[in-house]
Amino acid sequence: REGSLLRHLHLPSEWKGDFQFDQFLRRYNEMLVNRGVISCVKCSTHVPPQDGSWINFSGWGDQNYTCYDCLQHYCYTCTRPADYGDTFMMTILCYCELCDKRFCPDCKKSTMCSCCEKAFCGDCRDFIDCQSGADCNAEICDQCVDEADAYERCCKCDRHFCRGCSYHLLTYCGNCQKSFCYDCRQEEEDPIM
């Protein structure tokens, strides 16, 4: 209805596919559109674009262009600042694969895992830095660390490597089906006496 103060909804994914739920989302989207022009706080582009929608109808009804914490609106063409430390180019609003929310970098750090290539917020996953010792700023989520296969972890020193560094710094042994980092291989070849 006109003059409504409702700005954001986050609804259970279990409701997806229900006809009444879909009808409700369409009415809610109409209400948001009828509020008039809203602009991205970074570049002033109108959101949603003329062919876009406030609601992600192809997903399960999450709200587009809105940070779930501060409720500021961002377009999907603006990217995060270069000093944010991302390995991947990411839009301002980063989507968390677990909680199905979008966050701007001012509210919550969301990180792209360099192994599974999925983004998660800091509440849903913990991250470690790639332990290659190289100038790598890649981060690995705790699930990938726990499930690391022989291609991403040195079996001797237990250091974890992002996919990019593992290709260059780990050697896989087909006989024992384990990987060893360059440092551990050097120790094996040149034992200290």
Side-chain angles (χ1 to χ4, degrees), residues 40-161:
C40 170
V41 296
K42 185 173 180 191
C43 72
S44 300
T45 297
H46 297 317
V47 291
Q50 285 187 339
D51 61 344
S53 172
W54 280 105
I55 303 299
N56 179 6
F57 291 105
S58 64
W60 60 268
D62 52 323
Q63 189 164 326
N64 294 319
Y65 311 104
T66 308
C67 173
Y68 276 50
D69 277 355
C70 68
L71 302 179
Q72 293 288 336
H73 302 291
Y74 295 91
C75 68
Y76 289 155
T77 55
C78 287
T79 55
R80 300 206 271 190
D83 63 351
Y84 192 71
D86 290 325
T87 309
F88 301 88
M89 183 67 91
M90 297 178 76
T91 63
I92 293 282
L93 290 176
C94 188
Y95 178 77
C96 177
E97 300 275 344
L98 288 179
C99 65
D100 293 316
K101 296 178 182 176
R102 290 176 176 82
F103 299 101
C104 72
D106 293 333
C107 288
K108 203 172 278 183
K109 181 172 178 167
S110 295
T111 305
M112 177 75 79
C113 176
S114 63
C115 288
C116 64
E117 297 182 359
K118 293 181 180 177
F120 303 102
C121 70
D123 289 344
C124 291
R125 287 268 187 258
D126 292 322
F127 287 82
I128 66 165
D129 294 329
C130 173
Q131 298 169 335
S132 67
D135 289 334
C136 178
N137 63 351
E139 295 183 73
I140 307 165
C141 75
D142 55 0
Q143 182 175 358
C144 288
V145 168
D146 292 344
E147 296 174 357
D149 61 23
Y151 296 105
E152 296 162 343
R153 181 179 62 83
C154 176
C155 293
K156 185 169 184 184
C157 67
D158 204 36
R159 288 190 305 170
H160 294 270
F161 296 84

Side-chain angles (χ1 to χ4, degrees), residues 154 157 159 161 169-171 179-186:
C154 176
C157 67
R159 288 190 305 170
F161 296 84
L169 300 173
L170 288 175
T171 300
S179 288
F180 298 93
C181 69
Y182 177 79
D183 295 336
C184 290
R185 284 192 326 268
Q186 290 300 103

Side-chain angles (χ1 to χ4, degrees), residues 11-19 21-22 60:
L11 302 165
S13 59
E14 294 82 24
W15 293 2
K16 180 185 176 190
D18 179 73
F19 178 75
F21 177 63
D22 291 343
W60 60 268

